[in-house]
């Protein structure tokens, strides 16, 4: 299985009405008010007891035990028996509860900044060499693996890249022979994170809560025996340690490949963009630490756009698209996901149900166990991973395809409108001219200012969510990914062209938009690299079939301007239109129903 995100994203509880972001999950309350292991024990006085006193205490304890057994089970000294007659002990009350370790301590007594300055001078010699150009000098393309010291079961093929030619272009992501890379528009998603705060279907915290609330009634054995002592250890929304490493490593990788582009900056600093959500800002800063080194201040400019209602933002466009809050329009993926889980997880549910007594597993519970594997694996290891067959993991992989196709990509009636703002920004950068009309999610305050939105740079770095990348892929009309759509919800189609694990991977990042100068071709050329795979541009009007996936920039821009002109953002995001649930209505272009 090539793992992809087990959900789409959001943030705080204010997102709940917005189905574009399907999984927000609140943490469970911690288990009880246990005393701190660091708290000093209360003072005690030494006492001695006579033998009659000890005997009386023993008898009192035995009587209390008998009364407790009778009160709970209606009989004395009885244990709950399973269906096969074997006796066992019920799950302890802490099962499924959250474990929380807040770091750092709120008031550390040794945190005295003057004693720990971040710079004391005396740095020694600090000359730098030439900027690296690995993308040009290496004999083969250096793939960014996103590897980490995680223990993932062999049945999961996590972290795989699309094979060369997987998208239909049998070419290396590096510059073709004779061509020179002249610019990079780099778009990436954030790193691996904990689950978000709420879920309309699935959601690890919700399953943990259900198990915890019923802990007095169930017990597990066999493959599920670990549940008898399992607690919920995941955080919420922020990057995992692995996620921080991903972005740090990505920053190093991009500096090694494209650092030579910095030579184009003579009297300005590059502007990298992200948005205000915690994991987005943390991703950008971890990327900066890898790309620039520590300290990174004063080496570049970090633009932080606001992700919230009423703030135009192409990196979070659903916030300014009211129809994304209408579940029938903005959350089409969930019904298809439910249909498919009822198909591919039926046998798994039956197999696991006989290993837990006193609790009835739903299909949603079993699907959530697969999500738990994906999330727990990013903080080390998960026993949930071993519960499923390879065929069931293939089913989970396709579940992600279905969900993202109908929620954020070509099968969503909002995806083109939500991605078009970034396309407008891209065209402005490619043509070195301001955005002609702010009629979508573009932010005129930032985008019309050449300081916050430069138009003549040769290196751009933007960080966003995976759903927005899918919106943008749809808006650009990279239609080769949609050739097998719409996707069915009762079986896995053969040789499908849309795979979320390749386009929106859980443990990997995106390359996007490489500029090239080739002596044998007229004018500057453009290629789109998605997750180190070369994407065909033949769905873009005028772009030729090309062995290296190249298209003249002038042709690409003309086609995108036509797409921008034909996209009615106001109708898609504010219009009073409806679509029936399920397969009765479909789109393979990401467009809303026509206004006519």
């Amino acid at each position: 299985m090539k793992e992809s995100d087990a959900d789409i994203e959001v943030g705080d509880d204010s997102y709940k009405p917005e189905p574009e972001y399907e999984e927000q999950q609140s943490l469970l309350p911690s288990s009880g008010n246990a005393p701190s292991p660091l708290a000093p024990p209360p003072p005690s006085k030494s006492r001695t007891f006579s033998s009659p006193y000890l005997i009386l205490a023993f008898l009192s304890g035995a009587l209390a035990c008998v009364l407790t057994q009778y009160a709970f089970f209606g009989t004395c000294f009885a244990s709950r028996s399973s269906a096969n007659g074997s006796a066992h002990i019920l799950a302890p009350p802490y099962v499924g509860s959250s474990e929380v370790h807040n770091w750092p301590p709120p008031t550390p007594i040794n945190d005295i900044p003057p004693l720990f300055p971040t710079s004391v001078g005396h740095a020694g010699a600090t000359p730098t060499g030439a900027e690296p150009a690995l993308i040009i000098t290496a004999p083969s393309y250096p793939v960014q693996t996103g590897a980490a010291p995680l223990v993932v079961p062999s049945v999961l093929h996590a972290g795989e890249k699309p094979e060369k030619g997987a998208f239909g272009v049998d070419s290396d992501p590096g510059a073709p022979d004779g061509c020179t890379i002249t610019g990079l528009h780099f778009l990436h998603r954030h790193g691996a994170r904990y689950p978000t705060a709420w879920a309309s279907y699935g959601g690890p915290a919700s399953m943990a809560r259900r198990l915890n609330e019923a802990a007095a009634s169930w017990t597990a054995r066999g493959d599920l025996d670990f549940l008898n002592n399992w607690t919920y250890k995941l955080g919420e929304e922020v990057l995992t340690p692995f996620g921080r490493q991903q972005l740090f490593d990505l920053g190093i990788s991009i500096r090694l490949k494209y650092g030579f582009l910095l030579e184009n900056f003579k009297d300005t600093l590059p502007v990298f963009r992200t948005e205000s959500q915690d994991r987005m800002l943390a991703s950008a800063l971890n990327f900066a630490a890898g790309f620039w080194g520590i300290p990174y201040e004063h080496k570049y400019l970090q633009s932080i756009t606001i992700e919230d209602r009423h703030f135009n933002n192409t990196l979070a466009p659903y916030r300014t698209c009211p129809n994304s809050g209408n579940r029938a329009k903005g959350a089409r993926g969930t019904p298809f996901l439910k249909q498919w889980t009822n198909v591919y997880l039926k046998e798994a549910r039956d197999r696991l149900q006989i290993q837990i007594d006193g609790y009835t597993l739903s299909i949603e519970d079993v699907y959530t166990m697969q999500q738990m594997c994906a999330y727990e694996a990013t903080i080390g290891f998960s026993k949930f991973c071993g519960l499923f067959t390879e065929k069931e993991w293939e089913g989970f992989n396709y579940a992600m395809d279905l969900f993202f196709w109908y929620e954020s990509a070509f099968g969503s009636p909002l995806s083109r409108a939500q991605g078009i703002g970034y396309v407008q920004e891209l065209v402005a950068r490619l043509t070195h001219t301001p955005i002609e009309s702010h009629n979508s999610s573009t932010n005129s305050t930032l985008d019309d200012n050449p300081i916050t939105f430069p138009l003549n740079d040769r290196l751009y770095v933007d960080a966003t969510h995976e759903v927005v990348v899918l919106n943008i892929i749809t808006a650009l009309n990279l239609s080769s990914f949609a050739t097998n759509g719409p996707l069915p919800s009762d079986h896995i189609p053969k040789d499908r062209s849309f795979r979320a694990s390749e386009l929106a991977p859980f443990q990997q990042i995106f390359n996007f938009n490489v500029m090239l100068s080739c002596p044998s071709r007229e004018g500057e050329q453009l290629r789109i690299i998605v997750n180190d795979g070369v994407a065909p541009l033949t769905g873009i009007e005028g772009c030729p079939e090309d062995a290296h996936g190249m298209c003249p920039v002038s042709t690409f821009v003309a086609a995108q301007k036509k797409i921008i002109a034909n996209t009615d953002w106001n109708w898609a995001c504010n219009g009073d239109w409806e679509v029936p649930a399920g397969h009765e209505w479909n789109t393979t272009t990401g467009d809303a129903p026509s206004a006519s």
Side-chain angles (χ1 to χ4, degrees), residues 28-312:
L28 298 173
S30 58
S31 52
N33 297 315
S36 168
L38 299 179
S44 62
K45 297 180 180 179
S46 177
R47 298 182 61 184
T48 57
F49 301 96
S50 64
S51 295
Y53 187 96
L54 293 173
I55 293 171
L56 180 61
F58 174 80
L59 292 175
S60 298
L63 178 61
C65 177
V66 170
L67 292 176
T68 301
Q69 287 278 350
Y70 187 84
F72 278 94
F73 303 114
T75 183
C76 298
F77 304 109
S79 63
R80 183 74 62 89
S81 296
S82 64
N84 62 11
S86 61
H88 56 260
I89 301 172
L90 296 175
Y94 62 78
V95 167
S97 63
S98 289
E99 287 191 32
V100 178
H101 182 202
N102 293 316
W103 185 264
T107 54
I109 61 175
N110 61 341
D111 184 13
I112 307 172
L115 297 182
F116 300 93
T118 56
S119 177
V120 297
H122 306 275
T126 58
T128 59
E131 283 294 341
L134 189 61
I135 194 75
I136 296 175
T137 59
S140 61
Y141 183 79
V143 175
Q144 169 68 15
T145 64
L150 305 177
V151 182
V152 181
S154 57
V155 70
L156 298 182
H157 307 298
E160 289 186 355
K161 293 279 187 180
E163 296 179 359
K164 182 181 177 182
F167 297 151
V169 178
D170 189 21
S171 179
D172 192 279
D177 290 344
C179 296
T180 302
I181 294 175
T182 58
L184 175 68
H185 297 251
F186 185 67
L187 177 69
H188 68 85
R189 62 159 294 185
H190 57 72
R193 57 168 174 79
Y194 293 110
T196 49
W198 175 81
S200 64
Y201 187 74
S206 299
M207 184 193 74
R209 182 182 297 108
R210 291 191 294 271
L211 289 174
N212 178 249
E213 290 172 349
S217 304
W218 63 265
T219 190
R221 61 185 181 281
D223 293 337
L224 294 181
D225 181 68
F226 72 94
L227 284 179
N228 292 316
N229 295 292
W230 175 79
T231 55
Y232 185 72
K233 299 177 178 65
L234 300 177
E236 182 179 299
E237 311 226 8
V238 299
L239 295 182
T240 65
F242 172 41
R244 298 195 298 270
Q245 179 197 347
Q246 281 183 300
L247 269 298
F248 180 80
D249 289 350
L250 181 67
I252 294 173
S253 174
I254 296 303
R255 182 66 178 268
L256 286 173
K257 294 173 184 174
Y258 300 101
F260 64 94
L261 293 173
L262 294 174
E263 297 171 6
N264 294 284
F265 293 84
K266 303 302 183 183
D267 56 3
T268 60
L269 295 175
V271 175
F272 294 178
R273 298 193 304 168
T274 188
E275 42 101 327
S276 59
Q277 203 171 66
D278 182 271
R279 62 180 174 271
M280 295 305 311
L281 180 55
S283 292
L285 297 183
N286 277 281
F287 178 92
F291 188 92
W292 301 106
I294 301 293
Y296 47 73
E297 293 83 358
H298 311 300
K299 296 178 181 177
Y300 82 118
L301 301 171
Q302 183 67 65
S303 174
I304 306 171
T305 60
I306 297 174
E307 178 174 346
D308 211 338
R309 288 182 177 86
H310 313 304
F311 289 89
N312 277 27

Side-chain angles (χ1 to χ4, degrees), residues 365-388:
D365 287 327
V366 179
Y367 169 71
T368 309
M369 288 179 180
Q370 290 189 302
Q371 289 182 307
M372 281 300 309
C373 163
Y375 282 115
E376 285 190 339
T378 66
I379 59 173
F381 180 75
S382 176
K383 290 187 177 180
F384 287 100
C385 298
L387 299 178
F388 301 96

